[in-house]
Amino acid sequence: MTDANTPVSAEWLKDRLKRHFSELTRLALPAVMMRIGVMGLSMVDTALWATMRPNTLHG
């Protein structure tokens, strides 16, 4: 652990940010994929519901 006043190198900072970004991506990816899947399922469900419901407008 470094002291708050210790200067850090640019390479260390670059590696640290890269590691944090990859970890964030790894943790967030399942949630993002689930949301995309739910949105896709709702669009397909809406499209199928619209085509399969009885036509009540000209009843």
Side-chain angles (χ1 to χ4, degrees):
M1 191 93 179
T2 60
D3 185 19
N5 297 325
T6 304
V8 294
S9 68
E11 190 66 30
W12 179 86
L13 184 59
K14 179 181 168 187
D15 289 340
R16 183 97 173 172
L17 289 174
K18 187 177 179 182
R19 188 167 60 244
H20 281 306
F21 182 73
S22 64
E23 189 72 11
L24 181 63
T25 303
R26 183 184 68 83
L27 293 173
L29 191 61
V32 171
M33 295 304 289
M34 185 181 71
R35 287 181 182 187
I36 291 172
V38 168
M39 287 189 300
L41 182 63
S42 65
M43 286 188 284
V44 169
D45 185 48
T46 302
L48 288 176
W49 177 81
T51 59
M52 300 184 86
R53 69 186 176 116
N55 191 354
T56 58
L57 295 176
H58 304 292

